[in-house]
CSV table of all heavy atoms in Angstrom, one decimal:
chain,number,residue,atom,x,y,z
A,115,ILE,N,-48.2,13.9,-1.7
A,115,ILE,CA,-46.7,13.8,-1.7
A,115,ILE,C,-46.2,13.8,-0.2
A,115,ILE,O,-45.4,13.0,0.2
A,115,ILE,CB,-46.0,15.0,-2.5
A,115,ILE,CG1,-46.6,15.0,-3.9
A,115,ILE,CG2,-44.5,14.9,-2.4
A,115,ILE,CD1,-46.2,16.2,-4.7
A,116,ILE,N,-46.8,14.7,0.6
A,116,ILE,CA,-46.3,14.9,2.0
A,116,ILE,C,-46.8,13.6,2.7
A,116,ILE,O,-46.0,13.1,3.5
A,116,ILE,CB,-46.9,16.1,2.6
A,116,ILE,CG1,-46.6,17.4,1.7
A,116,ILE,CG2,-46.4,16.3,4.0
A,116,ILE,CD1,-47.2,18.7,2.2
A,117,ALA,N,-48.0,13.1,2.4
A,117,ALA,CA,-48.5,11.9,3.1
A,117,ALA,C,-47.6,10.7,2.8
A,117,ALA,O,-47.3,9.9,3.8
A,117,ALA,CB,-49.9,11.7,2.7
A,118,GLU,N,-47.3,10.5,1.6
A,118,GLU,CA,-46.5,9.4,1.2
A,118,GLU,C,-45.1,9.4,1.9
A,118,GLU,O,-44.5,8.4,2.2
A,118,GLU,CB,-46.3,9.3,-0.3
A,118,GLU,CG,-47.5,8.7,-1.0
A,118,GLU,CD,-47.6,9.1,-2.4
A,118,GLU,OE1,-46.6,9.6,-3.0
A,118,GLU,OE2,-48.7,9.0,-3.0
A,119,ASN,N,-44.6,10.6,2.2
A,119,ASN,CA,-43.3,10.7,2.9
A,119,ASN,C,-43.5,10.8,4.4
A,119,ASN,O,-42.6,11.1,5.1
A,119,ASN,CB,-42.6,11.9,2.4
A,119,ASN,CG,-42.0,11.7,1.0
A,119,ASN,OD1,-41.0,11.0,0.8
A,119,ASN,ND2,-42.8,12.1,0.0
A,120,LYS,N,-44.7,10.5,4.9
A,120,LYS,CA,-45.1,10.4,6.3
A,120,LYS,C,-44.6,11.7,7.1
A,120,LYS,O,-43.9,11.5,8.1
A,120,LYS,CB,-44.5,9.1,6.9
A,120,LYS,CG,-45.1,7.9,6.3
A,120,LYS,CD,-44.7,6.7,7.1
A,120,LYS,CE,-45.0,5.3,6.4
A,120,LYS,NZ,-46.3,5.2,5.8
A,121,LYS,N,-44.9,12.8,6.5
A,121,LYS,CA,-44.6,14.1,7.3
A,121,LYS,C,-45.9,14.8,7.6
A,121,LYS,O,-46.9,14.7,6.9
A,121,LYS,CB,-43.7,15.0,6.4
A,121,LYS,CG,-42.3,14.5,6.1
A,121,LYS,CD,-41.4,14.6,7.3
A,121,LYS,CE,-40.0,14.1,7.0
A,121,LYS,NZ,-39.3,13.7,8.2
A,122,ILE,N,-45.8,15.5,8.7
A,122,ILE,CA,-47.0,16.2,9.1
A,122,ILE,C,-47.2,17.4,8.2
A,122,ILE,O,-46.3,18.1,7.8
A,122,ILE,CB,-46.9,16.8,10.6
A,122,ILE,CG1,-46.7,15.7,11.6
A,122,ILE,CG2,-48.0,17.8,10.9
A,122,ILE,CD1,-48.0,14.8,11.8
A,123,PHE,N,-48.5,17.6,7.7
A,123,PHE,CA,-48.8,18.8,6.9
A,123,PHE,C,-49.9,19.5,7.6
A,123,PHE,O,-51.1,19.0,7.7
A,123,PHE,CB,-49.3,18.3,5.5
A,123,PHE,CG,-49.8,19.4,4.6
A,123,PHE,CD1,-49.4,20.8,4.8
A,123,PHE,CD2,-50.6,19.2,3.6
A,123,PHE,CE1,-49.8,21.8,4.0
A,123,PHE,CE2,-51.1,20.2,2.7
A,123,PHE,CZ,-50.7,21.5,2.9
A,124,LEU,N,-49.6,20.6,8.2
A,124,LEU,CA,-50.6,21.4,8.9
A,124,LEU,C,-51.0,22.6,8.1
A,124,LEU,O,-50.2,23.6,7.9
A,124,LEU,CB,-50.0,21.9,10.3
A,124,LEU,CG,-50.9,22.7,11.2
A,124,LEU,CD1,-51.9,21.7,11.8
A,124,LEU,CD2,-50.1,23.3,12.3
A,125,SER,N,-52.2,22.5,7.4
A,125,SER,CA,-52.6,23.5,6.5
A,125,SER,C,-53.2,24.7,7.3
A,125,SER,O,-54.0,24.5,8.2
A,125,SER,CB,-53.6,22.9,5.6
A,125,SER,OG,-54.4,24.0,5.0
A,126,THR,N,-52.7,25.9,7.0
A,126,THR,CA,-53.2,27.0,7.8
A,126,THR,C,-53.9,28.1,6.9
A,126,THR,O,-53.9,29.2,7.2
A,126,THR,CB,-52.0,27.7,8.5
A,126,THR,OG1,-51.1,28.2,7.4
A,126,THR,CG2,-51.2,26.8,9.4
A,127,GLY,N,-54.6,27.6,5.9
A,127,GLY,CA,-55.4,28.5,5.1
A,127,GLY,C,-56.2,28.0,3.9
A,127,GLY,O,-56.7,28.7,3.1
A,128,THR,N,-56.3,26.7,3.8
A,128,THR,CA,-57.1,26.1,2.7
A,128,THR,C,-58.4,25.5,3.3
A,128,THR,O,-58.4,25.0,4.4
A,128,THR,CB,-56.3,25.0,2.0
A,128,THR,OG1,-55.7,24.1,2.9
A,128,THR,CG2,-55.2,25.6,1.1
A,129,ALA,N,-59.5,25.7,2.5
A,129,ALA,CA,-60.8,25.4,3.0
A,129,ALA,C,-61.5,24.2,2.4
A,129,ALA,O,-62.5,23.7,2.8
A,129,ALA,CB,-61.7,26.6,2.8
A,130,SER,N,-60.9,23.6,1.3
A,130,SER,CA,-61.7,22.5,0.6
A,130,SER,C,-61.9,21.3,1.6
A,130,SER,O,-60.9,20.8,2.1
A,130,SER,CB,-60.9,22.0,-0.6
A,130,SER,OG,-61.6,20.9,-1.1
A,131,PRO,N,-63.2,20.8,1.7
A,131,PRO,CA,-63.4,19.7,2.6
A,131,PRO,C,-62.8,18.4,2.0
A,131,PRO,O,-62.6,17.4,2.7
A,131,PRO,CB,-64.9,19.5,2.5
A,131,PRO,CG,-65.5,20.8,2.0
A,131,PRO,CD,-64.4,21.4,1.1
A,132,LEU,N,-62.4,18.4,0.7
A,132,LEU,CA,-61.8,17.2,0.1
A,132,LEU,C,-60.5,16.8,0.8
A,132,LEU,O,-60.2,15.7,0.9
A,132,LEU,CB,-61.5,17.5,-1.4
A,132,LEU,CG,-62.7,17.8,-2.3
A,132,LEU,CD1,-62.2,18.2,-3.7
A,132,LEU,CD2,-63.6,16.6,-2.4
A,133,LEU,N,-59.8,17.8,1.3
A,133,LEU,CA,-58.6,17.6,2.0
A,133,LEU,C,-58.8,16.7,3.3
A,133,LEU,O,-58.1,15.7,3.5
A,133,LEU,CB,-57.9,18.9,2.4
A,133,LEU,CG,-57.3,19.7,1.2
A,133,LEU,CD1,-57.3,21.2,1.6
A,133,LEU,CD2,-56.0,19.2,0.8
A,134,SER,N,-59.8,17.1,4.1
A,134,SER,CA,-60.0,16.3,5.3
A,134,SER,C,-60.9,15.1,5.0
A,134,SER,O,-60.9,14.1,5.8
A,134,SER,CB,-60.6,17.2,6.4
A,134,SER,OG,-61.7,17.9,5.9
A,135,ASP,N,-61.6,15.1,3.8
A,135,ASP,CA,-62.3,13.8,3.4
A,135,ASP,C,-61.3,12.7,3.3
A,135,ASP,O,-61.6,11.6,3.6
A,135,ASP,CB,-63.0,14.0,2.1
A,135,ASP,CG,-64.3,14.8,2.1
A,135,ASP,OD1,-64.8,15.0,3.3
A,135,ASP,OD2,-64.8,15.2,1.1
A,136,ASN,N,-60.1,13.1,2.8
A,136,ASN,CA,-59.1,12.1,2.6
A,136,ASN,C,-58.7,11.4,3.9
A,136,ASN,O,-58.4,10.2,3.9
A,136,ASN,CB,-57.8,12.7,1.9
A,136,ASN,CG,-58.1,13.0,0.5
A,136,ASN,OD1,-58.9,12.4,-0.2
A,136,ASN,ND2,-57.3,13.9,-0.1
Side-chain angles (χ1 to χ4, degrees):
Chain A
I115 305 172
I116 305 175
E118 278 155 20
N119 287 280
K120 298 192 189 318
K121 291 288 180 200
I122 298 291
F123 176 25
L124 184 69
S125 162
T126 61
T128 47
S130 171
L132 299 174
L133 289 155
S134 50
D135 282 350
N136 287 337

